[in-house]
Amino acid sequence: MDKKYLYQTVRFILVFAIIVIALLAFYYLSKVTYPFLIALVIAFFINPIVTIFERKLRMPRGLAVFVALIFIFAIFAGLVTLLVAEIVSGANYLARVVPEHLDTLIGYIEEYITGQIIPLYNQLTGMFKQLDDGQQNTIINNIQNVGTTIGSTVGTFIQNLFGNIPVILSWFPNAATVLIFSLLATFFISKDWDKFSRFGNRILPEKAKSSSKTVIVDLQKALFGFLKAQLTLISITTVIILIGLLILRVDYAITIALITGVVDIIPYLGTGAVFVPWIIYEVITGDIGLAVGLGVLYLLVIVQRQVMEPKILSSNIGIDPLATLIALFVGFKLIGFLGLIVGPVTLVIISTLYRANVFHDLWTFIKGKEI
């Protein structure tokens, strides 16, 4: 074999092995260092705010970090308080009206059983008595098998449900510990951010420094853009639902719109988790007009979400809409609901590395040329 191709093959294997080892090391180390990785991400995002406090308001770096964390926490707590207040107000309203609707639903079920189920039962009983003993035994055995299967399935589900309760309860102390360590690590990382930057500038080659700077700046813009896009989509959904509910004259439209907007974060289910049961209930209770109105509103929300999501994501993170749509679909198919977030983020990272010429430099190294 030509030495040139031999060296290229060796360099390719070396690059591939380094990438694989780095990914595996990150995967296994992240299991024990994830609070500090979370802290690094938070520090990365709040660094512009901290810099503003430090330079514009002449604060010491440590105080600027502390004020920035308090500021962000206050905004988050305020939004949660507002949401909880709306939910409590809506819950009080539901506590007054649900018993009436429940009585209506129970009355409908009673009428349905009396008018449909009992006559059907009597008809089936008459047909069953006309069968011979073998056919009757076969039907009875099949019914018993179905009952046994259902009972076993329900029993397993209940057992798993109660068996997971200790796991869920044990998660809370762990979550509190992770939160404390993440906040403390965020403070120290953000406080010494400039020191870490200078240390990285000393140990990295000039080419690696320029590429790293490009990657960090592009990632920061893209990830902020991704969060902005998600908030935009949720806001659009909330406004459309609010306008629709006001047109339909639904009580507590603001509360319902806010809750549905938050639920829209849930991939795949989204607003359907609220609208579908609501529409079914209105059909059962005979309010067909409201059911049709809610159905039209739900359809409008779905259509605008599907149409706007690729466009808003692409415009905020600087990626082609078709590529964004492919990333959403591939991510969903590979890892499920979480893939709807991981897919675009992965696409952002790949695109950023490409714009920083990282892939070009790796290929140049493999070919044996100077970078």
Side-chain angles (χ1 to χ4, degrees):
M1 181 184 292
D2 191 343
K3 287 185 177 181
K4 175 183 177 182
Y5 294 110
L6 177 61
Y7 291 152
Q8 289 178 353
T9 303
V10 170
R11 282 191 287 268
F12 174 78
I13 294 174
L14 177 63
V15 170
F16 181 77
I18 291 174
I19 293 174
V20 171
I21 292 172
L23 291 175
L24 290 175
F26 175 79
Y27 174 75
Y28 287 106
L29 287 175
S30 64
K31 291 184 176 181
V32 294
T33 61
Y34 62 91
F36 306 99
L37 295 177
I38 295 173
L40 181 61
V41 172
I42 297 174
F44 177 75
F45 278 113
I46 70 171
N47 188 58
I49 302 175
V50 174
T51 302
I52 291 175
F53 287 162
E54 182 184 16
R55 296 177 181 175
K56 300 294 184 180
L57 302 181
R58 306 291 183 180
M59 291 184 180
R61 181 75 184 183
L63 179 60
V65 174
F66 180 76
V67 172
L69 289 174
I70 294 297
F71 176 72
I72 294 172
F73 180 79
I75 293 176
F76 179 76
L79 292 175
V80 171
T81 302
L82 176 62
L83 181 61
V84 169
E86 288 293 332
I87 291 175
V88 170
S89 177
N92 291 330
Y93 168 76
L94 292 176
R96 295 195 306 269
V97 302
V98 163
E100 300 176 5
H101 292 299
L102 189 60
D103 291 339
T104 303
L105 181 61
I106 291 173
Y108 176 83
I109 294 174
E110 290 175 350
E111 291 178 1
Y112 182 79
I113 292 175
T114 303
Q116 302 292 331
I117 302 298
I118 293 178
L120 179 62
Y121 171 76
N122 293 331
Q123 184 180 358
L124 291 175
T125 302
M127 294 173 60
F128 180 78
K129 291 180 179 179
Q130 295 176 1
L131 300 175
D132 57 43
D133 293 339
Q135 292 173 327
Q136 291 181 2
N137 290 331
T138 301
I139 293 174
I140 292 173
N141 289 333
N142 288 333
I143 292 175
Q144 289 176 344
N145 290 334
V146 171
T148 302
T149 303
I150 294 174
S152 175
T153 303
V154 172
T156 302
F157 172 77
I158 293 175
Q159 183 179 3
N160 292 334
L161 178 64
F162 284 101
N164 288 327
I165 288 178
V167 177
I168 296 173
L169 294 178
S170 64
W171 180 83
F172 287 100
N174 180 65
T177 303
V178 170
L179 178 62
I180 293 172
F181 273 91
S182 296
L183 289 177
L184 289 174
T186 299
F187 176 81
F188 290 115
I189 292 173
S190 185
K191 178 177 177 294
D192 296 328
W193 187 269
D194 294 334
K195 183 190 299 184
F196 293 139
S197 298
R198 289 193 297 270
F199 176 74
N201 289 331
R202 286 199 304 269
I203 64 174
L204 289 177
E206 193 61 35
K207 181 64 179 178
K209 283 193 292 186
S210 61
S211 298
S212 299
K213 185 177 181 180
T214 303
V215 170
I216 290 174
V217 171
D218 284 355
L219 274 180
Q220 195 169 28
K221 291 180 180 178
L223 292 177
F224 270 115
F226 181 77
L227 293 177
K228 179 183 176 182
Q230 293 299 326
L231 291 175
T232 302
L233 288 168
I234 293 171
S235 300
I236 292 173
T237 300
T238 302
V239 170
I240 291 176
I241 293 173
L242 177 60
I243 294 173
L245 294 180
L246 290 175
I247 293 174
L248 294 173
R249 299 181 182 277
V250 174
D251 294 326
Y252 287 87
I254 296 178
T255 302
I256 297 173
L258 287 174
I259 294 174
T260 310
V262 173
V263 171
D264 193 41
I265 299 174
I266 303 174
Y268 194 70
L269 290 177
T271 54
V274 174
F275 274 102
V276 172
W278 191 2
I279 293 171
I280 293 174
Y281 173 79
E282 297 300 338
V283 171
I284 291 176
T285 55
D287 196 345
I288 304 300
L290 181 57
V292 172
L294 292 174
V296 172
L297 179 59
Y298 178 46
L299 182 62
L300 180 62
V301 169
I302 292 177
V303 170
Q304 72 83 22
R305 179 79 183 194
Q306 298 302 318
V307 172
M308 296 296 292
E309 184 169 15
K311 180 176 179 56
I312 291 177
L313 281 175
S314 64
S315 62
N316 280 277
I317 64 181
I319 296 177
D320 183 76
L322 178 59
T324 305
L325 189 63
I326 294 173
L328 288 168
F329 181 79
V330 172
F332 174 73
K333 285 297 183 180
L334 290 178
I335 57 177
F337 299 152
L338 188 60
L340 296 176
I341 298 176
V342 174
V345 171
T346 303
L347 182 61
V348 167
I349 294 173
I350 294 174
S351 176
T352 303
L353 294 176
Y354 175 77
R355 287 197 295 268
N357 292 323
V358 173
F359 298 128
H360 177 268
D361 292 342
L362 288 176
W363 182 245
T364 302
F365 171 75
I366 290 172
K367 291 172 67 176
K369 298 179 181 180
E370 290 294 330
I371 298 178

